[in-house]
Amino acid sequence: HDDWCYSVAWCPVGSGDTLKLLTASMDRTVAVWSPSGTDGVWTESMRAGEVGGNTLGLYGARFGPGGVKIVAHGYQGALHMWQIVSDKWEGVNVVGGHFAAVTDLCWSPTGQYLVSVSADQTARLWGEWCEKWHELARTQIHGYDLVACCAISDTMYVSCGDEKVVRVFTSPLTFIDNFRQLTGRAISVPLHVPLGASVSALGLSNKAVFELRERTELNSFDDFKNSPQFEPLNLLTPPLEENLLQHTLWAETRKLYGHAFEVYALAATRDGTLVASACKASKPEHAGVIIWSVEKWYQIQVLLFHTLTVSKLAFSNDSNYLLAVSRDRTWSLWKRDGMQFELLAHSKLSVAKHTRIIWDCSWTGNDKFFATGSRDKKIIIWGAIEGAKWDSVCEQPLSLEEAVTALQFCHFHTQRHILAAGLENGKILIITWCEKDRNFNIVKYLDECHVAMVTCLSWRPNEMH
């Protein structure tokens, strides 16, 4: 090995007459050693592991029963597995996921896949294969903890981390082809789509790759160092960890600058024309919501009302209204007129019905009402009561056992609206609220979902049902 060896393990007894020793190293590989001939010299009979990618090494490895499988785990929690197939060691799909808090998630507009972002500094794309959900792409590997994301179309999404920049990502052609091959669902191919994407060892941006260069075409060490570390994949099964690390990235096509501090919240209209963003703020001049045009990616307007960080943004389903909730315990409602917004209504701090930070908000399917959830353990439904005046329309707020940290209405249009609520203790509640009697009804407790705060909830879009 080329680096520290962190694990050694013997092959189980009964798996053959030859002794075998398995080692795992910080050089990101595992190796199987066995004695050769009668001279007693131990030589390497198999080596496998990650090639490339900005990761640390493997911390441990073990043989499976019979010595026909090997499982290893890496520094960042990823599992690797290999098994003998036709006398050759081949990689096998294993369970995976984020190794730090998941901070946000979003469905593609048609509900074909799900993107999640995390404090582990990655964005991961999940899809169905053989009736189970697998990680099909690691679209972003960043240098900052990721905070929020929102989908614009099936081939584009935006994300933000603990930095002042909003980043726009576009799916490469290899992902579109492999997604259709794995899931059986087609995604329309946009114009000027890149073949893939790569990121340099010390870089933060996923650079688009439009053509591959042979190594023989590189004339200098600088050309070799700066050439894309990308290979197009033809997948019949979900990609393995070593492929996810560098061959499934999405291309970063834009950086949006305009915020004075770290971006904290994102939202996009369902028609895919506008994006809203907000950053951390301790003063009113920094708490503005920036509206961006998707067509040309320029700043349209800054919406100023709140005095502290806007914690959540939500466009209505018809894309005509924008709702913002804040750490200052108030909400603001903005009405769209073309590409501009004007303040339609807001709650007053002097008569605030929420006494702590408002964590989340969500629109009903018919856009007549919206809900807010707060650290004060209350859920309140708001609606228009006299013309343009908006106020609480529920008989009384729904008081729960813990702080409400996530909310999401189901998009079905009925008189009885279905609301999912996530709590600080990890529980999820399914709640109904009727327009006629204005009362809440808790229909189901999901107690064993999580063990820590629920940060986001999202129903799958109606297009898939």
Side-chain angles (χ1 to χ4, degrees), residues 216-341:
T216 56
E217 299 176 11
L218 305 179
N219 300 319
S220 67
F221 176 74
D222 287 338
D223 286 345
F224 182 88
K225 181 177 64 176
N226 296 323
S227 64
Q229 302 297 313
F230 164 76
E231 296 177 5
L233 302 175
N234 182 25
L235 298 175
L236 299 177
T237 62
L240 303 176
E241 180 71 16
E242 43 265 42
N243 292 326
L244 288 168
L245 286 170
Q246 59 181 355
H247 300 315
T248 61
L249 296 170
W250 282 27
E252 183 181 316
T253 55
R254 288 288 190 278
K255 293 184 180 71
L256 308 180
Y257 298 92
H259 290 290
F261 296 97
E262 294 88 346
V263 184
Y264 192 80
L266 290 173
T269 55
R270 299 197 76 180
D271 59 16
T273 58
L274 299 175
V275 169
S277 62
C279 72
K280 295 179 180 179
S282 57
K283 297 180 180 179
E285 56 265 31
H286 300 142
V289 178
I290 298 181
I291 306 297
W292 307 88
S293 166
V294 171
E295 182 180 6
K296 297 185 178 179
W297 292 115
Y298 66 90
Q299 187 178 130
I300 298 174
Q301 189 180 1
V302 180
L303 310 181
L304 294 173
F305 172 77
H306 294 285
T307 59
L308 295 174
T309 304
V310 171
S311 53
K312 205 71 173 183
L313 295 165
F315 282 100
S316 59
N317 297 289
D318 61 8
S319 302
N320 289 327
Y321 297 92
L322 172 62
L323 176 63
V325 295
S326 170
R327 289 181 178 269
D328 62 15
R329 297 173 289 160
T330 66
W331 55 262
S332 61
L333 180 61
W334 304 80
K335 185 177 181 180
R336 182 178 177 179
D337 184 10
M339 300 294 280
Q340 297 289 320
F341 286 82

Side-chain angles (χ1 to χ4, degrees), residues 351-370:
V351 290
K353 290 183 171 59
H354 283 301
T355 58
R356 303 290 298 276
I357 174 178
I358 303 176
W359 277 122
D360 206 352
C361 58
S362 180
W363 289 90
T364 58
N366 56 13
D367 292 332
K368 292 181 179 179
F369 309 94
F370 63 84

Side-chain angles (χ1 to χ4, degrees), residues 8-186:
V8 292
W10 291 104
C11 188
V13 177
S15 56
D17 297 329
T18 305
L19 290 174
K20 293 180 182 179
L21 183 66
L22 174 66
T23 59
S25 169
M26 286 297 283
D27 65 6
R28 296 179 289 185
T29 65
V30 295
V32 176
W33 307 84
S34 57
S36 60
T38 60
D39 54 10
V41 177
W42 287 68
T43 58
E44 175 188 304
S45 60
M46 187 280 284
R47 181 178 291 268
E50 302 171 6
V51 179
N54 301 330
T55 63
L56 294 177
L58 299 176
Y59 263 4
R62 288 291 184 272
F63 280 105
V68 296
K69 287 186 179 181
I70 293 173
V71 63
H73 63 92
Y75 177 80
Q76 295 175 328
L79 293 174
H80 307 257
M81 183 177 288
W82 299 270
Q83 67 178 7
I84 295 178
V85 178
S86 301
D87 296 326
K88 293 182 179 180
W89 289 92
E90 295 185 359
V92 180
N93 288 107
V94 292
V95 65
H98 293 286
F99 61 88
V102 179
T103 52
D104 200 9
L105 54 84
C106 64
W107 288 95
S108 67
T110 55
Q112 298 191 82
Y113 62 79
L114 180 71
V115 174
S116 60
V117 296
S118 167
D120 67 6
Q121 303 181 354
T122 66
R124 309 187 186 214
L125 187 147
W126 311 84
E128 286 183 288
W129 178 72
C130 294
E131 300 182 350
K132 293 183 179 181
W133 285 82
H134 296 263
E135 184 180 353
L136 301 185
R138 198 160 299 173
T139 57
Q140 183 183 4
I141 301 175
H142 203 42
Y144 293 95
D145 293 358
L146 296 180
V147 175
C149 65
C150 63
I152 299 171
S153 67
D154 282 344
T155 57
M156 183 183 296
Y157 79 92
V158 296
S159 72
C160 64
D162 282 336
E163 56 178 344
K164 305 172 186 179
V165 184
V166 177
R167 299 174 185 263
V168 184
F169 293 88
T170 301
S171 65
L173 184 60
T174 51
F175 167 79
I176 296 174
D177 291 341
N178 285 321
F179 186 81
R180 180 178 62 250
Q181 193 162 275
L182 290 172
T183 67
R185 301 191 180 106

Side-chain angles (χ1 to χ4, degrees), residues 410-464:
C410 187
H411 300 300
F412 293 124
H413 297 247
T414 63
Q415 291 293 312
R416 188 173 295 276
H417 301 285
I418 302 173
L419 175 67
L423 305 183
E424 195 170 31
N425 61 2
K427 294 182 180 180
I428 297 175
L429 284 68
I430 305 299
I431 304 164
T432 59
W433 181 77
C434 184
E435 287 188 25
K436 292 184 178 180
D437 58 25
R438 306 294 173 95
N439 287 322
F440 292 98
N441 181 32
I442 299 176
V443 297
K444 191 167 186 178
Y445 274 93
L446 304 177
D447 295 335
E448 300 180 357
C449 297
H450 303 282
V451 295
M453 182 178 76
V454 178
T455 56
C456 185
L457 293 168
S458 183
W459 295 92
R460 195 173 190 176
N462 295 350
E463 286 83 345
M464 293 301 297

Side-chain angles (χ1 to χ4, degrees), residues 194 196-198 206-210 251-253:
S198 66
N206 297 356
K207 296 182 179 179
V209 176
F210 289 94
E252 183 181 316
T253 55

